[in-house]
Amino acid sequence: MEVERLVPKPISDESHGGTWAELSRVNWIALPMIVVTVSQFLLRVSPMFMLGHVDQLSLSSASIATSLCNVTGFSVVFGMASALETLCGQAYGAKQYKRVGSLTYGAILCLFLVCIPLSLLFILTEKLLSSTGQDPSISSAAGKFAIQLIPTLFPYAFLQCLVRYLQIQSLIFPMVWSSLASLCFQLPLCWAFIFKFNLGNNGAAISIGISSWFNVVLLLVYVMYSPACQETRPPFSMDVLHTMREFLHLAIPSAAMVCLEWWSFEVILLLSGVLPNPQLETSVLSICFTISYLHYHVPYSFGAAASTLISNEMGAGKADAARATLHAVLGVAIIEFLVASLAIVCSSSVLGYAFSRDKQLIHYVKEMAPLLGISIIMDGLQAVLSGVVRGIGLQHIGAYVNLGAYYLVCIPVALFFAFLLHLKGQGLWSGLVAGATVQSISLSLLTAFTNWENQAIKARQRIFSEEFAVGNESACKHEKSLHTLKMNPLVLVESPPLTRE
């Protein structure tokens, strides 16, 4: 069996196709992923625009319920599903195609089980809001809306697994068409339920659930009948149960990495409600969060491209190629969020008009624009680097980074600037900037000092380990190489190119 000694080598155009080829690979995944993430985001947000034309109670209760459900449910599912970017991505890079399908089956089963206790939290939404002193009418309406979102949680779990399954194979365009089709299906459905049948919040929640299942069905049909998925679509068997343990081992730190960040944003938004003139402060921060989150889909998509390509290369044992991908992704992403930040600062005087005609609010948004521009840069950098961390499989370290950045830096700095220095909303947002800066620096150091060769060895050891080599006829062929790896950590079996025969 051919072996090669894994030592740092210069990246040549002949071996990796050149810089332009690498940029093309990145953009082939990242650009359509922007459409996918934005469409899925609008699927849950678009009903809010329609409810705003019903009455204030409908909008406020639905917004609060959606925010709380994101924290208690959707963030957990989203974070756990991201473990598939590592596991399936590296398995696909090692050409262990059947294992990709087995891991996806196991993840779907795990997430469906996790959704059961999360549903109980949705049921308790009214009590949670009442205990925090919320208005009884808002608490009651929000509690009902949260319960009606439970049928959305299960297809959301299914959808996130399917998205990762297709993403790691670079099959992005089927997700583009299914996401756009679901959004186009949902908009008239939601309008009819809210205005034609006068269902209000009930209609909004039902339309989200139906559209989510519609998206899942479209992707399932593609996965079941497309020749592109034939090799990664093994028959379901009891062997899938063995993959659940490996999935949970990485899904828990993956969820922690995501949830710790999402939860800190909610804490900052809640703190704005106890500032002087809370209506103004909350409105301004909500506008800033909206702008930041809409832009976040762009660097997140570049992070998804980094996660996909790096995990593929690590699974193939090609550490140099993975580093080349990192440089290409960072080059494109940095240019994008620098341009976005500059655009926000330059348009600060008119930015507020997109959300309100209130002069005081518009002026306040203008004052927040420089801080918002900085946060766009820091959030963009950490989104890309988080994708790199997922591709390598270092989520357990990423979780500690996020814990320190947001709970030892972000929230204390926000409290100090907002309440002790009386900077109010600007102080709270300064805390977010400080946290994102620490997170970006920490993830940059983690990436810079990672031993990529060693991580590639660990990835292949995990892929070809006897315990988890489920349904792979070729696993036995690599048994000798696994033994060689354990005896000599500098030796790695060379994988064939990442193209299907």
Side-chain angles (χ1 to χ4, degrees):
M1 183 175 293
E2 295 183 0
V3 295
E4 62 179 8
R5 188 166 296 277
L6 198 62
V7 294
K9 297 179 182 178
I11 300 173
S12 63
D13 287 351
E14 289 82 14
S15 61
H16 297 300
T19 303
W20 288 111
E22 199 66 40
L23 291 174
S24 178
R25 293 174 69 207
V26 169
N27 290 327
W28 178 260
I29 297 175
L31 297 182
M33 274 301 294
I34 296 173
V35 179
V36 174
T37 55
V38 171
S39 298
Q40 293 181 359
F41 169 70
L42 291 176
L43 199 68
R44 292 204 314 249
V45 171
S46 57
M48 302 302 127
F49 296 104
M50 299 185 192
L51 290 174
H53 294 279
V54 177
D55 55 58
Q56 190 173 0
L57 177 61
S58 297
L59 176 60
S60 59
S61 60
S63 299
I64 290 175
T66 300
S67 179
L68 192 58
C69 290
N70 282 338
V71 170
T72 58
F74 294 109
S75 63
V76 177
V77 172
F78 182 87
M80 293 185 70
S82 65
L84 289 178
E85 296 181 34
T86 305
L87 299 173
C88 290
Q90 293 178 357
Y92 186 79
K95 302 192 77 171
Q96 299 301 292
Y97 299 136
K98 290 183 179 179
R99 191 160 182 262
V100 172
S102 297
L103 283 164
T104 305
Y105 286 145
I108 292 172
L109 287 176
C110 282
L111 291 184
F112 262 65
L113 294 175
V114 169
C115 285
I116 296 174
L118 294 179
S119 299
L120 298 179
L121 293 177
F122 284 24
I123 294 173
L124 297 175
T125 295
E126 181 177 354
K127 292 183 178 180
L128 290 173
L129 291 174
S130 298
S131 63
T132 59
Q134 288 286 342
D135 181 86
S137 60
I138 294 179
S139 299
S140 177
K144 293 177 182 177
F145 190 83
I147 292 174
Q148 290 162 344
L149 283 179
I150 292 176
T152 302
L153 185 62
F154 290 90
Y156 183 80
F158 211 138
L159 180 64
Q160 292 306 310
C161 292
L162 291 175
V163 165
R164 269 48 176 222
Y165 168 80
L166 294 170
Q167 176 187 314
I168 60 95
Q169 300 178 71
S170 299
L171 298 174
I172 311 300
F173 283 95
M175 294 190 289
V176 171
W177 302 124
S178 70
S179 298
L180 290 176
S182 300
L183 181 61
C184 293
F185 172 74
Q186 193 254 358
L187 290 176
L189 183 68
C190 185
W191 178 87
F193 282 164
I194 292 176
F195 299 109
K196 195 70 174 178
F197 299 108
N198 297 318
L199 294 178
N201 281 14
N202 298 339
I206 294 171
S207 70
I208 296 173
I210 294 176
S211 303
S212 298
W213 278 113
F214 181 68
N215 199 351
V216 169
V217 170
L218 290 178
L219 288 182
L220 271 179
V221 170
Y222 175 81
V223 170
M224 290 174 62
Y225 296 104
S226 172
C229 300
Q230 184 175 358
E231 291 181 293
T232 57
R233 191 178 61 233
F236 186 88
S237 67
M238 295 303 294
D239 290 337
V240 170
L241 299 177
H242 296 292
T243 67
M244 295 174 68
R245 177 184 171 188
E246 185 182 12
F247 172 74
L248 285 175
H249 179 74
L250 196 59
I252 293 174
S254 297
M257 189 174 173
V258 170
C259 292
L260 288 170
E261 183 178 353
W262 286 26
W263 294 347
S264 66
F265 296 158
E266 294 298 326
V267 171
I268 294 298
L269 192 57
L270 288 174
L271 287 174
S272 67
V274 298
L275 289 171
N277 196 354
Q279 186 173 355
L280 175 64
E281 301 291 350
T282 303
S283 298
V284 170
L285 284 185
S286 296
I287 291 172
C288 291
F289 273 121
T290 300
I291 296 172
S292 179
Y293 195 71
L294 282 174
H295 171 264
Y296 185 79
H297 290 96
V298 178
Y300 172 80
S301 298
F302 281 105
S307 174
T308 297
L309 297 175
I310 288 175
S311 64
N312 288 171
E313 301 293 5
M314 296 296 275
K318 299 177 180 178
D320 285 342
R323 273 193 292 261
T325 297
L326 168 64
H327 299 151
V329 172
L330 282 178
V332 176
I334 287 174
I335 293 174
E336 186 280 326
F337 54 68
L338 285 176
V339 171
S341 176
L342 183 63
I344 286 174
V345 174
C346 293
S347 63
S348 60
S349 58
V350 297
L351 196 60
Y353 286 101
F355 301 90
S356 175
R357 296 185 179 275
D358 186 290
K359 295 296 183 181
Q360 186 181 12
L361 184 64
I362 293 170
H363 180 71
Y364 202 164
V365 171
K366 180 180 178 180
E367 292 180 344
M368 292 284 288
L371 284 174
L372 182 58
I374 298 174
S375 69
I376 288 291
I377 296 175
M378 293 296 103
D379 281 339
L381 183 57
Q382 68 85 10
V384 174
L385 292 174
S386 293
V388 175
V389 168
R390 295 194 302 272
I392 301 173
L394 297 176
Q395 287 95 323
H396 58 290
I397 300 178
Y400 285 113
V401 168
N402 288 2
L403 177 64
Y406 287 101
Y407 295 89
L408 299 182
V409 177
C410 169
I411 294 177
V413 169
L415 290 171
F416 178 76
F417 281 5
F419 296 98
L420 294 182
L421 297 185
H422 305 290
L423 294 179
K424 302 177 183 177
Q426 288 178 304
L428 291 179
W429 202 265
S430 297
L432 286 175
V433 171
T437 302
V438 170
Q439 183 189 20
S440 298
I441 293 173
S442 301
L443 293 178
S444 298
L445 293 174
L446 174 62
T447 304
F449 290 102
T450 291
N451 187 327
W452 290 69
E453 288 78 12
N454 187 45
Q455 291 300 322
I457 291 172
K458 289 181 178 179
R460 290 178 65 77
Q461 285 179 340
R462 179 172 59 245
I463 293 166
F464 296 115
S465 63
E466 182 178 356
E467 182 177 0
F468 296 120
V470 179
N472 294 309
E473 297 176 0
S474 59
C476 59
K477 298 179 182 179
H478 294 80
E479 207 170 315
K480 182 179 177 181
S481 67
L482 177 61
H483 176 72
T484 305
L485 284 171
K486 292 180 178 178
M487 297 301 296
N488 183 0
L490 290 179
V491 176
L492 184 65
V493 177
E494 183 178 9
S495 282
L498 290 179
T499 55
R500 297 187 183 183
E501 297 176 357

